[in-house]
Amino acid sequence: MRILKFGGTSLSNSKKFLEVSKIIEKKFKNDNIAIVLSAPAKITNYLEQINKNITFNKNSKNIFQKIETIFYELSNGINKQQNNFPNNNINKYITNTFDDLKNKIKKIKLLNDNSKKLFSEIISKGEIISIKIMQQLLISKNYLTFYIDPIKNIVTNNDYFESDVNISKTKKNIQKIKIPNKHIILMPGFIAGNKNHELVTLGRNGSDYSAAILAVCLNAKVCEIWTDVDGIYTSDPKIIPTAKLLKSISYQEAIELSSFGAKILHPKTILPLFKSNIKCIIKNTYFPEKTGTIIQNIFEEQSTNIKGITYLNNIVNIVIKINIFKNINFIIEKIFSIFLNFDIQILFHVTSYLENKIYFYIIQKYKDQIKNILKKKLQKELIYDIINIINIDQTLKLINIVGNNINNNINVQKKIFLSLKNTNLNIISTNTTFSKNSFIIITNNNNIHENIKIIHNKLFYKINIIEIFLIGIGGVAKALLKQIQKQSQILKNKNIIFKICSISNSKKMLINLDGINLITWKEQFHTTHKKFCIKKIIKYAKNISLFNPVIIDCTASQEIANFYYDILKNNINIVTPNKKANTNTWKEYANIRNIAIKKNKKFFYETNVSAGLPIIKTLKNLFDSGDELISFEGILSGSLSFIFGKLEEGLSISEATIMAKKLGFTEPNPKDDLSGLDVARKLLILARESGYKLELEDIKIIPILPKYMLKIKDKNTFISELSKLNEYFYNKIKLAKKYKKVLRFIGTIKKGGLCKVELTEVDKKNPLYNVKNGENALIIYSKYYQPIPLVLKGYGAGNNVTAAGIFSDLLQLLP
Ligand code: ADP
Ligand code: ASP
Ligand code: MG
């Protein structure tokens, strides 16, 4: 005997019903089979909505209409494909069923009927009609069918909802039934009967449970659960698209996964199968040939691996403080028996003997009910102040990491703790003693999907993937792509993959989430017609299936910088040489940092100052370890270092500027360099890193260009105007030389955060005397570094060094 249970997702329309009937036919060729069906997808949700506003009004009328339409379409659709299908009868049956319900609802107030009884009748109608349609479909295909009435045969306690089945009584009932040979057995899922033979239901998703009960009662070898995914995954594949399919898991693991949120199985399904040693197989109705997941006895030594991660959204804790020191265990036992008697599941509990408190974690919907019961049953203890019930109104979330015996394996626990390191979970409690197969984390974070994704990928993947969305394709970006392409094999050997998912300039974008080929990207970009849109890039990059997405902003654009807040908010990292965001107002500067911390995302900008020279990291490390800035002096502009070096060699300022631009040393518009604005921005960034709350206007620039030149917008006009200054600079250099000095464009930060940018004559004694040819030098006097300062020196501009700085930031994104 084989049980086949088809869920609502397998029965949502006529096409799927016909597919299911084909699977049934195929299985019936080799085996005796019993079929358990759910209601078509969404039907039970609608029926539940009717229950919520039990009066017959416009709203419930609409819902009824929706439900009836689904069923009519279902029946009519089958009729088109299947000869002899009694469509008219079925349509009549649907109409009568719902007319009858509507009448009952209209009457319920007048008669003051037992509303719970009517609720369970309403909510089960999907299953009843579902099985009726399947039965007629099989009959019209000339099969013999046999109906098992769950109300008569599946015996439960008296609860109308979430009832527990009395398996031994049910088995007796079912084994008494004389099932004729060569009949396909059919039973609606989700439904059972109480002692008075009234209809009761087994809780949402309860058809899985029905199938398990029937499997036990019919001594089946296998219970097959047919659904819309290939089997049980390491996490819900609809939320974590990188989840991996599990070929087989143990009964214990399946119980734990389903009890803590894996809605693929009703939590009560596995225990009866486990006790009777019946295999359970999860199969995909849309791809019946796939093997699915087998749940069976697995010998311990085979599996101390982590199998899955699940979560429950609405958890609360009930905290009871015990104010006496004697007989504590007696009170604890009493409290437990109250939970047990009222059938309220304690997910887990923690007893703190230090605080004399017990923390019970339960599903939120039971909170008020259990509080009232506890108040009643512990009235005496409350009056005499033996206990207090502490009110905590916080909704919590529970994450459970499941695997056979994981709690007896220190290495697995280490791995779990390491995976938590990369999240921003606010962990309220962890519990490793509740079960040897579960590692439970309680948190109050609201959106935990992103954190589960991080934990999941860390636990189940060895490979570190960074998905790159590159904006701007100037010299730096091109150099970066070359470096990534060249290094890809070496990174791969270290299990690191940099996947380029998009390349864009201000006009268009090339997108491929599988990764753009870096040998042919230029041709591909040339032929793309997709218009550039930053919002679309964010939409692609925030896709939850990505491991570690980053937007690299290789532009100098203020508009792109204005999106950084949104980018980080959408769980995307940022790496950028663009200084605009860091030189916005202090408020915006702080906002970006706050959202990055909140979302646990990285905002790296090492190349904002002096290209690849590790100045930002150095300052961060120094200040984190307690150092303080005393003063700073430096040549922060590779272009001006190059230009003033060339002036000493006899070139004119316009010639030197053109040359610097060609070599990629200048900003896109060299005016930004010569105006001193670019250096001022860098100085502002350094000052802010050092703890000064300054604005760009606070940086004093002593200009080297006449005012009218600062107003020129066009790059080429600017460069041609520059030649008018050739003689002025020639004379200035000559004068300095006379006193054995050179001209250097220097930025300084003095005590108190006084910042200045100016062209200064320096003599040989000054360490900046020899800094030229595009070199930068940063001289830091700090509490730790004095009187001899910390000096960083090296190329501070140029495509390759800037790209290398970005590369190094990317490597820092790795967990
Ligand atoms: P059915 O209608 O077949 O009963 P359900 O929606 O009740 O389907 O259950 C199937 C769904 O369970 C899947 O579509 C999936 O989104 C969800 N699910 C949750 N956790 C898991 C998991 N660990 N593995 C597979 N599916 C899961
Ligand atoms: N139809 C019910 C529900 O949607 C039972 C089930 O699908 O298993 O919860
Ligand atoms: Mg289900």
Side-chain angles (χ1 to χ4, degrees):
M1 174 64 71
R2 187 178 284 268
I3 310 296
L4 275 66
K5 177 259 167 177
F6 295 91
T9 51
S10 308
L11 300 164
S12 52
N13 54 42
S14 59
K15 205 174 147 218
K16 287 187 185 155
F17 252 79
L18 288 158
E19 287 299 321
V20 166
S21 73
K22 280 184 198 151
I23 295 173
I24 295 173
E25 285 181 87
K26 210 171 160 194
K27 292 275 173 176
F28 190 54
K29 276 189 188 142
N30 308 318
D31 240 332
N32 282 329
I33 58 170
I35 310 301
V36 174
L37 296 189
S38 293
K42 291 190 196 152
I43 293 285
T44 316
N45 290 355
Y46 289 138
L47 290 166
E48 230 176 21
Q49 281 179 34
I50 292 176
N51 276 348
K52 269 190 192 133
N53 41 11
I54 189 78
T55 49
F56 194 75
N57 55 20
K58 207 175 152 197
N59 192 21
S60 46
K61 214 170 152 185
N62 278 341
I63 301 170
F64 268 120
Q65 207 162 26
K66 273 188 203 160
I67 298 172
E68 286 170 60
T69 310
I70 292 176
F71 278 122
Y72 292 136
E73 281 176 4
L74 194 60
S75 181
N76 297 342
I78 293 174
N79 189 43
K80 278 191 196 140
Q81 302 292 322
Q82 180 59 46
N83 291 337
N84 304 326
F85 182 72
N87 193 31
N88 288 343
N89 288 350
I90 296 282
N91 272 289
K92 256 187 224 150
Y93 180 78
I94 297 166
T95 315
N96 290 344
T97 303
F98 290 107
D99 282 352
D100 182 43
L101 269 191
K102 283 175 214 165
N103 284 333
K104 280 186 178 163
I105 293 173
K106 279 177 198 162
K107 278 185 199 155
I108 188 166
K109 263 194 179 162
L110 301 171
L111 298 175
N112 196 13
D113 203 346
N114 179 348
S115 57
K116 274 194 179 174
K117 186 177 153 191
L118 181 58
F119 285 176
S120 57
E121 193 187 330
I122 294 174
I123 203 178
S124 66
K125 277 293 180 254
E127 271 70 11
I128 302 275
I129 301 177
S130 209
I131 210 90
K132 181 98 186 162
I133 294 177
M134 185 57 78
Q135 186 170 25
Q136 292 308 321
L137 173 57
L138 291 171
I139 291 172
S140 56
K141 287 186 177 204
N142 292 325
Y143 288 95
L144 298 168
T145 63
F146 185 84
Y147 179 79
I148 291 185
D149 183 353
I151 309 170
K152 272 194 202 148
N153 294 295
I154 308 231
V155 184
T156 66
N157 59 27
N158 266 328
D159 217 348
Y160 288 100
F161 307 104
E162 303 196 17
S163 237
D164 278 311
V165 175
N166 181 328
I167 295 187
S168 62
K169 280 190 183 165
T170 303
K171 198 165 181 174
K172 273 185 201 148
N173 282 346
I174 291 192
Q175 289 190 338
K176 263 192 239 155
I177 304 173
K178 288 202 174 73
I179 300 170
N181 270 344
K182 300 208 168 136
H183 280 60
I184 298 174
I185 301 167
L186 294 165
M187 186 181 86
F190 187 46
I191 299 170
N194 62 15
K195 284 175 201 151
N196 308 323
H197 295 299
E198 289 170 329
L199 187 153
V200 301
T201 47
L202 302 175
R204 293 304 307 268
N205 258 327
S207 306
D208 303 325
Y209 185 29
S210 306
I213 299 295
L214 199 58
V216 173
C217 297
L218 290 174
N219 293 322
K221 268 198 239 128
V222 188
C223 177
E224 296 182 354
I225 306 286
W226 290 76
T227 184
D228 64 340
V229 288
D230 285 350
I232 298 188
Y233 283 78
T234 48
S235 202
D236 186 342
K238 287 190 186 137
I239 292 167
I240 312 291
T242 49
K244 289 179 173 175
L245 183 66
L246 296 161
K247 280 206 168 114
S248 80
I249 56 170
S250 69
Y251 289 116
Q252 288 92 339
E253 287 164 336
I255 289 171
E256 238 134 308
L257 287 171
S258 59
S259 304
F260 288 95
K263 84 158 191 166
I264 181 122
L265 283 174
H266 184 283
K268 292 178 193 162
T269 312
I270 297 300
L271 193 62
L273 297 175
F274 174 34
K275 284 186 178 163
S276 301
N277 202 13
I278 300 169
K279 262 191 242 163
C280 180
I281 307 181
I282 314 295
K283 299 267 297 172
N284 191 340
T285 309
Y286 312 150
F287 300 97
E289 69 290 351
K290 292 193 178 178
T291 46
T293 301
I294 301 187
I295 304 166
Q296 59 189 350
N297 261 325
I298 291 179
F299 298 109
E300 300 267 307
E301 69 265 24
Q302 268 180 285
S303 59
T304 38
N305 291 331
I306 300 168
K307 290 292 169 56
I309 171 165
T310 62
Y311 72 97
L312 288 170
N313 243 332
N314 295 313
I315 299 297
V316 288
N317 59 11
I318 305 263
V319 186
I320 299 185
K321 183 158 185 331
I322 302 173
N323 302 321
I324 53 162
F325 296 99
K326 266 191 206 166
N327 284 337
I328 286 192
N329 286 342
F330 171 74
I331 290 183
I332 292 178
E333 264 170 41
K334 188 168 176 185
I335 298 168
F336 274 103
S337 69
I338 295 171
F339 274 95
L340 202 69
N341 284 340
F342 287 87
D343 209 17
I344 291 180
Q345 193 201 354
I346 303 168
L347 294 165
F348 77 95
H349 57 89
V350 181
T351 307
S352 163
Y353 286 97
L354 206 68
E355 299 175 301
N356 265 19
K357 278 182 190 164
I358 322 178
Y359 296 79
F360 294 97
Y361 289 89
I362 59 163
I363 307 268
Q364 192 168 31
K365 68 176 175 188
Y366 302 124
K367 187 178 132 194
D368 292 336
Q369 188 191 352
I370 190 67
K371 267 194 170 169
N372 290 335
I373 296 170
L374 286 171
K375 275 182 197 157
K376 251 191 221 160
K377 300 277 166 189
L378 298 169
Q379 205 175 21
K380 211 170 68 198
E381 287 81 354
L382 284 164
I383 289 172
Y384 290 109
D385 210 21
I386 296 171
I387 63 158
N388 303 116
I389 301 176
I390 300 172
N391 233 338
I392 301 178
D393 273 333
Q394 199 180 18
T395 306
L396 304 170
K397 274 95 194 159
L398 179 154
I399 298 173
N400 190 13
I401 299 164
V402 174
N404 257 350
N405 241 339
I406 57 170
N407 285 329
N408 296 330
N409 187 326
I410 191 77
N411 286 333
V412 173
Q413 291 200 26
K414 249 194 226 162
K415 205 171 160 186
I416 294 173
F417 276 116
L418 273 177
S419 75
L420 293 176
K421 207 183 94 188
N422 302 309
T423 66
N424 65 346
L425 279 179
N426 187 17
I427 296 174
I428 290 182
S429 162
T430 60
N431 191 313
T432 56
T433 53
F434 165 73
S435 140
K436 64 182 172 47
N437 305 324
S438 274
F439 185 107
I440 293 175
I441 299 151
I442 301 285
T443 168
N444 61 359
N445 290 57
N446 267 336
N447 188 350
I448 56 170
H449 288 176
E450 181 64 20
N451 285 308
I452 290 187
K453 179 182 132 182
I454 294 169
I455 301 171
H456 177 273
N457 291 346
K458 193 79 192 140
L459 293 179
F460 293 100
Y461 283 86
K462 279 200 193 108
I463 283 187
N464 276 308
I465 299 175
I466 293 181
E467 291 92 353
I468 295 173
F469 296 77
L470 179 65
I471 306 180
I473 33 179
V476 171
K478 280 184 186 140
L480 177 68
L481 291 176
K482 249 191 206 154
Q483 289 176 8
I484 291 175
Q485 196 236 322
K486 210 174 131 214
Q487 284 304 99
S488 66
Q489 194 50 48
I490 293 168
L491 292 175
K492 223 179 193 167
N493 296 343
K494 294 181 179 174
N495 283 332
I496 299 167
I497 292 177
F498 281 180
K499 201 193 267 181
I500 311 292
C501 294
S502 89
I503 298 176
S504 49
N505 64 13
S506 57
K507 293 188 186 76
K508 50 187 195 166
M509 58 189 186
L510 176 66
I511 294 196
N512 181 355
L513 290 190
D514 293 329
I516 296 167
N517 182 331
L518 284 189
I519 298 171
T520 58
W521 76 265
K522 280 187 191 154
E523 291 89 69
Q524 288 181 58
F525 189 78
H526 190 69
T527 50
T528 184
H529 295 298
K530 261 199 181 129
K531 250 175 105 182
F532 172 73
C533 170
I534 177 75
K535 284 188 183 157
K536 273 207 181 122
I537 290 180
I538 295 175
K539 210 169 140 195
Y540 279 107
K542 77 176 185 186
N543 183 331
I544 186 141
S545 70
L546 304 185
F547 280 71
N548 202 356
V550 56
I551 287 185
I552 305 182
D553 173 16
C554 272
T555 71
S557 152
Q558 182 66 55
E559 285 99 77
I560 303 287
N562 291 345
F563 274 95
Y564 285 7
Y565 185 89
D566 279 347
I567 293 173
L568 292 160
K569 197 171 144 212
N570 281 296
N571 295 308
I572 306 161
N573 302 292
I574 300 174
V575 168
T576 185
N578 182 358
K579 294 179 268 297
K580 296 288 160 52
N582 278 336
T583 52
N584 260 354
T585 61
W586 173 264
K587 200 174 155 221
E588 278 155 310
Y589 177 89
N591 281 346
I592 288 176
R593 274 146 185 85
N594 290 341
I595 191 76
I597 290 168
K598 193 168 164 212
K599 291 286 176 175
N600 195 28
K601 289 294 144 216
K602 304 288 186 286
F603 171 43
F604 289 145
Y605 46 89
E606 184 58 76
T607 48
N608 271 199
V609 179
S610 295
L613 287 185
I615 176 68
I616 305 285
K617 278 185 205 91
T618 307
L619 289 182
K620 274 202 167 86
N621 288 342
L622 276 184
F623 300 144
D624 282 350
S625 58
D627 202 358
E628 281 166 29
L629 185 81
I630 292 174
S631 69
F632 168 87
E633 188 179 24
I635 292 182
L636 293 168
S637 163
S639 51
L640 295 182
S641 152
F642 181 86
I643 290 167
F644 284 102
K646 287 292 161 209
L647 293 191
E648 280 158 47
E649 288 172 22
L651 258 69
S652 70
I653 188 141
S654 57
E655 284 166 339
T657 305
I658 291 166
M659 200 181 222
K661 186 165 177 354
K662 265 191 195 147
L663 290 170
F665 280 168
T666 64
E667 286 294 296
N669 187 349
K671 188 183 81 177
D672 283 348
D673 298 287
L674 285 163
S675 67
L677 186 61
D678 190 54
V679 175
R681 284 208 169 97
K682 290 173 182 166
L683 205 61
L684 175 66
I685 293 168
L686 292 180
R688 283 176 167 180
E689 287 299 319
S690 311
Y692 294 114
K693 273 192 191 176
L694 300 179
E695 301 291 350
L696 192 55
E697 306 83 77
D698 297 326
I699 316 292
K700 194 168 181 197
I701 306 174
I702 313 289
I704 58 170
L705 298 176
K707 261 190 192 157
Y708 82 95
M709 278 193 73
L710 295 178
K711 287 186 189 138
I712 301 171
K713 286 217 170 94
D714 179 58
K715 292 184 239 192
N716 299 328
T717 324
F718 176 79
I719 289 174
S720 70
E721 276 297 310
L722 200 58
S723 54
K724 291 185 185 154
L725 300 180
N726 285 348
E727 200 173 328
Y728 167 77
F729 276 103
Y730 175 76
N731 289 334
K732 229 173 148 46
I733 293 280
K734 207 169 145 194
L735 193 67
K737 241 185 196 166
K738 199 169 154 191
Y739 297 102
K740 297 209 166 75
K741 286 183 177 176
V742 289
L743 292 180
R744 293 289 175 262
F745 200 74
I746 296 174
T748 50
I749 305 174
K750 292 268 162 61
K751 226 178 172 169
L754 227 64
C755 296
K756 201 183 204 181
V757 175
E758 69 183 321
L759 193 63
T760 314
E761 288 182 355
V762 297
D763 60 23
K764 263 194 175 142
K765 274 186 261 161
N766 190 312
L768 299 177
Y769 182 90
N770 286 319
V771 179
K772 53 185 178 179
N773 297 334
E775 220 184 1
N776 275 197
L778 301 104
I779 303 171
I780 301 152
Y781 291 91
S782 72
K783 210 169 77 182
Y784 297 163
Y785 284 92
Q786 59 168 334
I788 299 175
L790 173 73
V791 179
L792 280 173
K793 238 178 104 190
Y795 279 115
N799 296 337
N800 278 328
V801 283
T802 309
I806 297 173
F807 204 117
S808 134
D809 275 352
L810 289 175
L811 289 171
Q812 288 219 55
L813 292 178
L814 294 169

